[in-house]
Amino acid sequence: MVVRRAPVLALLGACSLIIAAVLIPAVTGWDVHARTGSGPTLPPWHGYLDPKVGPGTAAALAIGILGVSFAARLARTLSFGGLLGATYVASLAWLLALALVDGTAGISRVLGNPDEYLPTARQVDDVGALLRGYVARVPLDSPDHWPTHVAGHPPGMLLFFVGLVRVGLGGDLAAGLVVTCIAATVAPAVLLTLRILGAEPTARRVAPFLVLTPAAVYLAVSADAVMTAVSAWAMVLLALGATRGWWWSVPAGLLFGFLVMMSYGLVLFGIVALAMLVGLWSWRPLLPCAASALAVVVAFSVVGFTWWQAFPVLVDRYWAGIAADRPAAYWSWANLALLLATAGPLVASGCAEVRRLTRAPRALVLGAWLAVGIAAASLMSKAEVERIWLPFMPWLTIGIAALPDRWQRPGLALQIVVALLLQHLLYTSW
């Protein structure tokens, strides 16, 4: 049996980088300002050590064992429609089991934090006034400035939670369950994209890893999970636009446009979209997709929020806060360690073997790596990338499909163990 060295070395390198990111601040006393406030920290995570077991522990262990035992076989043998349904159900079960390790607080605690969107959404009674006065409340020294997450993003994500409040789902637990149910659609959306691109074998190989990902620890409790789902379904529509009919690219563009209105940084997700088109060598969806995306941004500007005026104000707010204290000498590489811990270290092995994938999936993986590389180089993503980079992680995970068959079961077990350790050892903040 020939042992391929590249994926082994990549896995060892990923694990070494994660260990270094934890040990260097601990051993040297280097304060890298992973989080604000007093109390213990555990860089590179925006959290601290908090060993525990809870109501979801038994279910999470059972799902992990069942996944290692049967997931690959089911992914090979189910009809594709059945695979999509099973993927959604399994994703939802995995997300809920991990979150419920902390009890129902694991679903409700984060969204109810004063720095999050939901408490602000409950105070909104005039959406027009919200949009017109949004930018003025971004600076840290402005009267009645926005809390951290609202200030750090365009109003799209806040409007999502305003909508939940308006329809009676504005409680912490109710909103958390909605976010979790939306997050569970990410894996089916990625699989569907791959099938539309003619890469069904890749979709079937990677399906267990998309479901039982360590990123589920954050997808279940983070508003960024909604952004991840929006980006994933936009890719489904764009893939249809590239392979079935250009008109599909119009709704794809609307989703991409709203994605940009949810997070400034997700302009970089356009790299993943372009990579897919390069992989297909299909440009016919580009113009209608870009036009409909721009129409969303312009529509927001017409009603009061202008993205290109708001972004420089956000940059000032960013550097007026804790980001100025976070040393680039640490975060320029610790971000990568945090990404590998969150997506699972096996994505590094997949990257090392990405050339074994067919053209379109390979382009998706490389596009996602390029996007996070640019995000890191911008220094606008110092720390907290366990949630900020969630939209890119499913596309990085596709690379795992390139690994040999003998890697599949132990690799999945490794990913599951990482997820269980993250959930049971850390207070993750997200």
Side-chain angles (χ1 to χ4, degrees):
M1 179 178 67
V2 178
V3 177
R4 302 183 67 87
R5 294 179 60 186
V8 174
L9 293 175
L11 180 60
L12 291 174
C15 293
S16 299
L17 192 67
I18 295 167
I19 292 169
V22 175
L23 289 184
I24 287 177
V27 171
T28 64
W30 192 7
D31 187 354
V32 297
H33 297 276
R35 59 178 290 146
T36 57
S38 58
T41 61
L42 187 66
W45 289 276
H46 190 274
Y48 51 82
L49 197 62
D50 180 31
K52 58 189 175 294
V53 295
T57 298
L61 288 170
I63 292 168
I65 292 169
L66 290 172
V68 172
S69 302
F70 302 110
R73 186 188 314 166
L74 288 173
R76 287 195 306 269
T77 58
L78 286 173
S79 68
F80 199 80
L83 176 61
L84 292 179
T87 297
Y88 180 78
V89 171
S91 292
L92 185 59
W94 182 236
L95 290 164
L96 289 172
L98 289 172
L100 290 171
V101 169
D102 291 311
T104 56
I107 298 173
S108 62
R109 178 192 71 220
V110 171
L111 294 182
N113 187 293
D115 285 332
E116 288 280 347
Y117 306 94
L118 188 56
T120 300
R122 295 182 185 130
Q123 302 168 19
V124 174
D125 54 16
D126 186 336
V127 171
L130 164 75
L131 294 173
R132 290 189 297 272
Y134 200 90
V135 177
R137 295 177 63 181
V138 171
L140 199 58
D141 59 357
S142 65
D144 197 24
H145 63 257
W146 294 121
T148 302
H149 284 208
V150 178
H153 296 80
M157 199 70 248
L158 178 59
L159 292 178
F160 170 81
F161 285 102
V162 170
L164 290 187
V165 172
R166 297 284 175 88
V167 300
L169 294 171
D172 294 354
L173 182 59
L177 289 171
V178 170
V179 168
T180 304
C181 290
I182 291 172
T185 71
V186 171
V190 175
L191 297 182
L192 189 54
T193 300
L194 288 169
R195 191 186 195 217
I196 294 167
L197 297 177
E200 183 175 330
T202 299
R204 290 183 178 275
R205 284 179 68 83
V206 80
F209 297 93
L210 289 169
V211 172
L212 298 171
T213 171
V217 172
Y218 305 95
L219 285 167
V221 296
S222 172
D224 293 74
V226 179
M227 304 177 200
T228 305
V230 170
S231 62
W233 286 103
M235 291 291 280
V236 172
L237 294 171
L238 185 61
L240 288 170
T243 60
R244 303 292 193 272
W246 66 266
W247 52 87
W248 286 104
S249 58
V250 174
L254 294 177
L255 285 183
F256 282 127
F258 195 70
L259 184 67
V260 170
M261 301 310 297
M262 300 171 94
S263 172
Y264 297 101
L266 287 179
V267 168
L268 291 175
F269 197 84
I271 295 172
V272 185
L274 285 172
M276 182 173 71
L277 297 181
V278 170
L280 292 172
W281 208 247
S282 173
W283 303 107
R284 61 183 178 177
L286 185 58
L287 183 58
C289 181
S292 55
L294 182 60
V296 174
V297 177
V298 171
F300 268 87
S301 181
V302 169
V303 296
F305 176 84
T306 303
W307 191 98
W308 52 89
Q309 292 177 352
F311 181 66
V313 182
L314 172 274
V315 172
D316 291 341
R317 165 76 182 254
Y318 178 78
W319 289 108
I322 192 174
D325 297 322
R326 288 172 170 163
Y330 175 77
W331 291 108
S332 58
W333 58 271
N335 274 347
L336 177 58
L338 189 49
L339 169 68
L340 293 169
T342 306
L346 204 65
V347 299
S349 298
C351 181
E353 293 286 85
V354 71
R355 67 188 182 281
R356 295 166 60 88
L357 294 176
T358 56
R359 182 169 173 169
R362 180 171 67 246
L364 286 168
V365 176
L366 294 177
W369 279 113
L370 177 59
V372 298
I374 293 173
S378 74
L379 298 183
M380 290 290 290
S381 295
K382 290 195 293 183
E384 306 178 33
V385 299
E386 65 266 45
R387 63 172 182 85
I388 296 171
W389 289 353
L390 278 174
F392 303 104
M393 293 182 196
W395 310 99
L396 300 176
T397 302
I398 292 172
I400 294 175
L403 296 173
D405 288 344
R406 63 181 176 275
W407 279 71
Q408 298 298 306
R409 181 169 288 187
L412 184 60
L414 172 64
Q415 296 287 93
I416 291 167
V417 168
V418 171
L420 293 172
L421 288 175
L422 287 175
Q423 182 61 56
H424 286 84
L425 294 180
L426 297 178
Y427 178 95
T428 59
S429 299
W430 311 119

XYZ file of all heavy atoms in Angstrom, residues 148-219:
513
model
N -21.875 45.988 19.263
C -20.752 45.536 18.438
C -21.170 44.906 17.113
O -20.713 45.310 16.041
C -19.895 44.537 19.230
O -19.451 45.174 20.431
C -18.692 44.096 18.418
N -22.034 43.913 17.152
C -22.332 43.180 15.922
C -23.181 43.999 14.961
O -23.014 43.900 13.745
C -23.021 41.855 16.253
C -22.074 40.824 16.766
N -22.270 39.476 16.609
C -20.903 40.947 17.433
C -21.269 38.812 17.160
N -20.432 39.696 17.668
N -24.073 44.796 15.487
C -24.895 45.644 14.616
C -24.013 46.678 13.931
O -24.111 46.913 12.718
C -26.018 46.318 15.424
C -26.843 47.246 14.530
C -26.927 45.263 16.061
N -23.121 47.306 14.685
C -22.220 48.310 14.108
C -21.279 47.706 13.081
O -20.908 48.359 12.107
C -21.415 48.979 15.213
N -20.893 46.464 13.298
C -19.894 45.833 12.452
C -20.420 45.268 11.149
O -19.644 44.702 10.368
N -21.725 45.403 10.902
C -22.323 44.819 9.707
C -23.318 45.781 9.081
O -23.870 46.640 9.775
C -23.046 43.510 10.061
C -22.128 42.445 10.566
N -21.665 42.426 11.867
C -21.574 41.362 9.952
C -20.867 41.366 12.026
N -20.796 40.714 10.874
N -23.578 45.628 7.795
C -24.693 46.359 7.194
C -26.011 45.897 7.832
O -26.031 44.936 8.616
C -24.618 45.957 5.712
C -23.252 45.372 5.523
C -22.872 44.781 6.837
N -27.129 46.529 7.483
C -28.370 46.250 8.213
C -29.103 44.973 7.835
O -30.120 44.636 8.453
C -29.240 47.473 7.889
C -28.718 47.975 6.590
C -27.256 47.680 6.590
N -28.622 44.229 6.847
C -29.350 43.052 6.405
C -29.605 42.034 7.489
O -30.716 41.503 7.625
N -28.573 41.755 8.299
C -28.732 40.750 9.356
C -29.673 41.245 10.444
O -30.497 40.491 10.967
C -27.360 40.433 9.960
C -27.300 39.116 10.728
S -27.416 37.678 9.651
C -29.007 37.037 10.112
N -29.582 42.518 10.772
C -30.500 43.092 11.760
C -31.934 43.017 11.243
O -32.852 42.685 11.999
C -30.111 44.536 12.057
C -31.012 45.284 13.051
C -31.064 44.580 14.400
C -30.532 46.729 13.217
N -32.137 43.292 9.957
C -33.481 43.233 9.391
C -34.043 41.815 9.427
O -35.251 41.620 9.601
C -33.475 43.753 7.955
C -33.204 45.246 7.792
C -33.174 45.619 6.313
C -34.251 46.077 8.531
N -33.188 40.814 9.259
C -33.638 39.426 9.400
C -34.240 39.196 10.782
O -35.332 38.620 10.911
C -32.464 38.471 9.166
C -32.754 37.039 9.526
C -33.433 36.222 8.642
C -32.356 36.524 10.748
C -33.706 34.895 8.970
C -32.616 35.204 11.087
C -33.297 34.385 10.197
N -33.559 39.665 11.811
C -34.077 39.464 13.168
C -35.276 40.360 13.456
O -36.165 39.973 14.217
C -32.964 39.667 14.195
C -31.997 38.517 14.245
C -30.754 38.596 13.645
C -32.358 37.339 14.871
C -29.884 37.527 13.673
C -31.491 36.254 14.909
C -30.256 36.349 14.300
N -35.321 41.532 12.848
C -36.526 42.349 12.966
C -37.721 41.578 12.406
O -38.808 41.575 12.985
C -36.349 43.693 12.219
C -37.684 44.441 12.131
C -35.310 44.561 12.924
N -37.505 40.909 11.290
C -38.558 40.093 10.709
C -39.005 38.981 11.641
O -40.212 38.718 11.782
N -38.049 38.324 12.308
C -38.418 37.280 13.264
C -39.248 37.855 14.403
O -40.240 37.241 14.837
C -37.159 36.602 13.822
C -36.357 35.707 12.874
C -35.257 34.987 13.641
C -37.241 34.697 12.170
N -38.848 39.011 14.892
C -39.612 39.650 15.969
C -41.038 39.950 15.502
O -42.019 39.699 16.220
C -38.901 40.935 16.438
C -39.795 41.711 17.408
C -37.558 40.603 17.095
N -41.161 40.462 14.280
C -42.472 40.858 13.768
C -43.420 39.665 13.610
O -44.629 39.810 13.724
C -42.310 41.583 12.422
C -41.525 42.900 12.511
C -42.343 44.037 13.111
N -41.562 45.246 13.301
C -41.388 46.191 12.378
N -41.936 46.047 11.176
N -40.666 47.264 12.655
N -42.880 38.476 13.338
C -43.753 37.304 13.151
C -43.870 36.465 14.419
O -44.400 35.359 14.390
C -43.261 36.426 11.981
C -43.259 37.210 10.689
C -41.885 35.821 12.262
N -43.384 36.992 15.532
C -43.554 36.305 16.808
C -42.484 35.302 17.150
O -42.679 34.476 18.057
N -41.335 35.348 16.454
C -40.244 34.415 16.735
C -39.028 35.160 17.273
O -37.885 34.775 17.032
C -39.864 33.661 15.460
C -40.939 32.720 14.912
C -40.550 32.196 13.538
C -41.173 31.555 15.877
N -39.291 36.223 18.056
C -38.212 37.066 18.538
C -37.685 36.703 19.906
O -36.822 37.410 20.430
N -38.157 35.613 20.496
C -37.572 35.159 21.753
C -36.205 34.549 21.517
O -35.904 34.076 20.410
N -35.372 34.547 22.541
C -34.011 34.019 22.387
C -34.028 32.575 21.886
O -33.313 32.221 20.946
C -33.261 34.092 23.715
C -33.005 35.512 24.179
O -33.304 36.451 23.411
O -32.531 35.685 25.325
N -34.827 31.731 22.512
C -34.859 30.316 22.139
C -35.502 30.120 20.772
O -34.988 29.366 19.937
C -35.611 29.513 23.195
C -35.692 27.997 22.950
C -34.296 27.389 22.865
C -36.507 27.321 24.061
N -36.608 30.812 20.531
C -37.291 30.668 19.241
C -36.385 31.094 18.095
O -36.264 30.395 17.075
C -38.586 31.486 19.239
N -35.736 32.235 18.241
C -34.838 32.714 17.186
C -33.658 31.767 16.999
O -33.223 31.508 15.868
C -34.343 34.122 17.517
N -33.149 31.230 18.109
C -32.054 30.275 18.017
C -32.447 29.021 17.257
O -31.665 28.484 16.466
N -33.657 28.547 17.468
C -34.129 27.369 16.735
C -34.299 27.663 15.250
O -33.989 26.831 14.400
C -35.444 26.872 17.332
C -35.330 26.219 18.721
C -36.715 25.973 19.312
C -34.546 24.903 18.639
N -34.786 28.867 14.937
C -34.907 29.254 13.533
C -33.536 29.272 12.866
O -33.339 28.727 11.763
C -35.592 30.631 13.392
C -35.505 31.139 11.953
C -37.051 30.553 13.826
N -32.560 29.895 13.524
C -31.205 29.956 12.975
C -30.652 28.551 12.767
O -30.029 28.244 11.733
C -30.289 30.776 13.906
C -28.816 30.608 13.516
C -30.662 32.243 13.861
N -30.883 27.660 13.725
C -30.377 26.295 13.625
C -31.023 25.548 12.468
O -30.348 24.825 11.722
C -30.610 25.550 14.946
O -30.007 26.282 16.015
C -30.007 24.160 14.908
N -32.324 25.704 12.305
C -33.016 25.052 11.186
C -32.511 25.566 9.844
O -32.392 24.803 8.880
C -34.525 25.259 11.306
S -35.300 24.341 12.661
N -32.213 26.850 9.766
C -31.648 27.415 8.528
C -30.229 26.882 8.316
O -29.858 26.512 7.189
C -31.657 28.948 8.596
C -33.098 29.469 8.548
C -30.829 29.553 7.461
C -33.232 30.958 8.788
N -29.440 26.821 9.373
C -28.064 26.341 9.263
C -28.011 24.907 8.739
O -27.070 24.539 8.019
C -27.365 26.438 10.616
N -28.998 24.106 9.087
C -29.011 22.708 8.654
C -29.205 22.559 7.156
O -28.988 21.467 6.609
C -30.108 21.944 9.400
N -29.587 23.638 6.451
C -29.743 23.563 4.997
C -28.426 23.740 4.258
O -28.377 23.555 3.039
C -30.741 24.623 4.484
O -30.161 25.941 4.592
C -32.049 24.584 5.260
N -27.373 24.097 4.973
C -26.103 24.401 4.298
C -25.553 23.172 3.591
O -25.199 23.226 2.398
C -25.076 24.955 5.302
C -23.694 25.052 4.659
C -25.517 26.325 5.823
N -25.471 22.051 4.298
C -24.906 20.842 3.686
C -25.707 20.385 2.466
O -25.112 20.111 1.405
C -24.793 19.727 4.722
N -27.051 20.304 2.534
C -27.789 19.944 1.313
C -27.551 20.920 0.163
O -27.479 20.498 -0.996
C -29.259 19.976 1.777
C -29.212 19.746 3.236
C -27.942 20.381 3.703
N -27.433 22.208 0.462
C -27.206 23.189 -0.601
C -25.865 22.952 -1.295
O -25.761 23.032 -2.531
C -27.267 24.608 -0.037
N -24.828 22.650 -0.535
C -23.514 22.392 -1.134
C -23.559 21.119 -1.971
O -23.017 21.068 -3.090
C -22.432 22.293 -0.040
C -21.084 21.907 -0.642
C -22.312 23.612 0.711
N -24.220 20.083 -1.459
C -24.344 18.842 -2.228
C -25.102 19.071 -3.523
O -24.732 18.545 -4.582
C -25.067 17.773 -1.392
C -24.369 17.307 -0.112
C -25.198 16.223 0.568
C -22.972 16.788 -0.416
N -26.166 19.842 -3.452
C -26.957 20.121 -4.649
C -26.129 20.912 -5.660
O -26.199 20.650 -6.875
C -28.222 20.889 -4.250
C -29.297 21.092 -5.314
C -29.713 19.764 -5.941
C -30.501 21.800 -4.711
N -25.349 21.865 -5.185
C -24.468 22.613 -6.087
C -23.519 21.673 -6.818
O -23.346 21.756 -8.039
C -23.659 23.659 -5.297
O -24.553 24.567 -4.657
C -22.726 24.439 -6.216
N -22.907 20.762 -6.078
C -21.966 19.829 -6.692
C -22.650 18.955 -7.739
O -22.098 18.701 -8.814
C -21.314 18.960 -5.615
C -20.300 19.679 -4.714
C -19.922 18.800 -3.534
C -19.052 20.070 -5.500
N -23.863 18.506 -7.442
C -24.552 17.665 -8.423
C -24.889 18.449 -9.690
O -24.740 17.953 -10.803
C -25.827 17.080 -7.825
C -26.394 15.988 -8.742
C -27.710 15.477 -8.283
N -28.026 14.226 -8.951
C -29.241 13.890 -9.328
N -30.256 14.710 -9.122
N -29.466 12.739 -9.915
N -25.347 19.681 -9.520
C -25.647 20.520 -10.688
C -24.398 20.721 -11.537
O -24.468 20.782 -12.770
C -26.226 21.873 -10.230
C -27.589 21.660 -9.557
C -26.357 22.837 -11.391
C -28.089 22.885 -8.809
N -23.251 20.777 -10.877
C -21.983 20.967 -11.587
C -21.461 19.675 -12.204
O -20.373 19.662 -12.782
C -20.933 21.529 -10.635
C -21.221 22.910 -10.034
C -20.129 23.307 -9.066
C -21.392 23.952 -11.127
N -22.211 18.582 -12.077
C -21.785 17.305 -12.637
C -20.792 16.563 -11.778
O -20.067 15.690 -12.276
N -20.755 16.867 -10.473
C -19.784 16.251 -9.565
C -20.496 15.461 -8.462
O -20.147 15.570 -7.293
C -18.876 17.313 -8.959
N -21.487 14.652 -8.862
C -22.222 13.880 -7.861
C -21.324 12.924 -7.075
O -21.503 12.785 -5.846
C -23.363 13.111 -8.514
C -24.214 12.342 -7.503
C -25.425 11.664 -8.125
O -25.964 12.176 -9.132
O -25.842 10.625 -7.577
N -20.359 12.240 -7.685
C -19.475 11.381 -6.879
C -18.751 12.158 -5.776
O -18.609 11.671 -4.649
C -18.495 10.809 -7.909
C -19.250 10.842 -9.203
C -20.073 12.093 -9.132
N -18.304 13.361 -6.086
C -17.667 14.200 -5.067
C -18.662 14.545 -3.972
O -18.329 14.516 -2.779
C -17.119 15.490 -5.710
O -16.140 15.145 -6.681
C -16.507 16.408 -4.664
N -19.886 14.879 -4.354
C -20.914 15.210 -3.367
C -21.148 14.042 -2.423
O -21.248 14.224 -1.194
C -22.212 15.595 -4.080
N -21.245 12.844 -2.952
C -21.507 11.677 -2.109
C -20.335 11.392 -1.177
O -20.532 10.993 -0.026
C -21.823 10.466 -2.979
C -23.182 10.569 -3.702
C -23.489 9.327 -4.502
N -24.790 9.425 -5.150
C -25.968 9.106 -4.578
N -25.974 8.654 -3.329
N -27.089 9.226 -5.240
N -19.110 11.578 -1.642
C -17.954 11.320 -0.788
C -17.842 12.333 0.347
O -17.431 12.008 1.458
C -16.665 11.348 -1.626
C -16.465 10.112 -2.473
C -15.198 10.213 -3.301
N -13.990 10.181 -2.487
C -13.407 9.086 -2.034
N -13.945 7.896 -2.286
N -12.297 9.155 -1.337
N -18.205 13.588 0.067
C -17.994 14.629 1.072
C -19.203 14.809 1.982
O -19.104 15.478 3.024
C -17.637 15.962 0.376
C -18.872 16.678 -0.170
C -16.862 16.872 1.317
N -20.346 14.209 1.649
C -21.572 14.435 2.418
C -21.405 14.189 3.921
O -21.822 15.031 4.734
C -22.707 13.574 1.857
N -20.800 13.082 4.362
C -20.665 12.882 5.818
C -19.853 13.985 6.499
O -20.125 14.348 7.651
C -19.961 11.528 5.929
C -20.267 10.835 4.636
C -20.304 11.917 3.610
N -18.865 14.530 5.784
C -18.004 15.557 6.369
C -18.703 16.915 6.425
O -18.434 17.716 7.332
C -16.707 15.657 5.563
C -15.893 14.397 5.590
C -16.043 13.433 4.605
C -14.996 14.154 6.616
C -15.311 12.259 4.642
C -14.258 12.986 6.670
C -14.418 12.030 5.679
N -19.583 17.180 5.477
C -20.364 18.412 5.526
C -21.365 18.383 6.670
O -21.665 19.414 7.269
C -21.095 18.622 4.195
C -20.211 19.007 3.008
C -21.014 18.915 1.714
C -19.657 20.415 3.178
N -21.887 17.211 6.966
C -22.868 17.086 8.059
C -22.172 17.122 9.412
O -22.509 17.929 10.284
C -23.667 15.784 7.905
C -24.543 15.546 9.144
C -24.536 15.831 6.650
N -21.191 16.253 9.602
C -20.570 16.071 10.921
C -19.322 16.944 11.056
O -18.283 16.515 11.529
C -20.247 14.590 11.129
C -21.490 13.688 11.114
C -21.106 12.216 11.102
C -22.403 13.995 12.295
N -19.464 18.182 10.667
C -18.354 19.123 10.704
C -18.189 19.740 12.090
O -19.185 20.007 12.771
C -18.581 20.242 9.675
O -17.621 21.261 9.852
C -19.971 20.867 9.824
N -16.960 20.001 12.511
C -16.771 20.750 13.757
C -17.371 22.145 13.708
O -17.703 22.727 14.746
C -15.245 20.809 13.900
C -14.737 19.675 13.089
C -15.693 19.518 11.946
N -17.532 22.712 12.512
C -18.140 24.040 12.391
C -19.566 24.075 12.916
O -20.102 25.154 13.192
C -18.117 24.492 10.927
N -20.171 22.906 13.086
C -21.529 22.842 13.633
C -21.602 23.448 15.031
O -22.669 23.927 15.446
C -22.008 21.389 13.672
N -20.494 23.435 15.752
C -20.466 24.047 17.084
C -20.870 25.514 17.005
O -21.531 26.051 17.900
C -19.058 23.909 17.710
C -18.941 24.707 19.002
C -18.740 22.436 17.952
N -20.511 26.177 15.895
C -20.798 27.603 15.728
C -22.020 27.853 14.841
O -22.726 28.836 15.027
C -19.566 28.303 15.142
C -18.342 28.047 15.978
C -17.468 27.013 15.665
C -18.092 28.790 17.130
C -16.356 26.745 16.459
C -16.991 28.528 17.925
C -16.126 27.503 17.585
O -15.045 27.239 18.380
N -22.279 26.964 13.901
C -23.432 27.133 13.035
C -24.741 27.129 13.812
O -25.698 27.808 13.444
C -23.463 26.031 11.974
C -22.457 26.162 10.826
C -22.383 24.862 10.041
C -22.822 27.312 9.921
